Amino acid sequence: QVQLVESGGGLVQAGGSLRFSCAASGRTFSSYAMGWYRQAPGKQRGLVAAISRDGWTNYADSVKGRFTISRDNAKNTVYLQMNSLKPEDTAVYYCAARQSYVRKWPLDLDDFGSWGQGTQVTVSS
């Protein structure tokens, strides 16, 4: 399994920005598919954004145009830049990784086998 360490998050006012980082273990990070998911109280964990090993991206409709996922393979890190934050973005955010290649895009939640510890984002109105 891949070890994932998230950083970033916190409390921000509506309209503000935050940036998440997720550092992954392993020497083959460039071959991983990476994703960000979130879970609000009483709701299921859902996709925020994902990026394939080839740089293909996939976003939840609710964040398109506001959030950007990117990766730096030299640093074994995936980022999530979140702009124009809304109170409904409040949730625990999780980094996810899939090590093995699958001929499928976009991936589903169950396709990711490694998860970070989660980090809270609270957006105040």
Side-chain angles (χ1 to χ4, degrees), residues 72-122:
D72 186 338
N73 290 336
K75 296 182 178 180
N76 278 25
T77 300
V78 63
Y79 304 97
L80 183 69
Q81 178 66 43
M82 303 184 291
N83 298 328
S84 303
L85 282 160
K86 305 175 181 180
E88 50 264 43
D89 294 319
T90 295
V92 177
Y93 284 70
Y94 297 90
C95 178
R98 179 185 173 90
Q99 288 180 271
S100 60
Y101 176 73
V102 60
R103 190 185 291 271
K104 172 185 176 184
W105 191 260
L107 300 180
D108 298 314
L109 184 149
D110 291 341
D111 292 320
F112 291 94
S114 300
W115 293 86
Q117 77 280 7
T119 185
Q120 176 71 44
V121 169
T122 301

Side-chain angles (χ1 to χ4, degrees), residues 23-37:
S25 64
R27 290 183 283 183
T28 58
F29 174 79
S30 61
S31 68
Y32 302 168
M34 301 296 297
W36 289 96
Y37 282 76

Side-chain angles (χ1 to χ4, degrees), residues 43-67:
K43 295 187 177 182
Q44 291 186 327
R45 192 174 298 188
L47 172 75
V48 177
I51 186 166
S52 74
R53 67 179 192 177
D54 301 311
W56 297 348
T57 58
N58 182 42
Y59 294 92
D61 288 342
S62 59
V63 308
K64 284 180 181 177
R66 300 189 297 124
F67 291 12

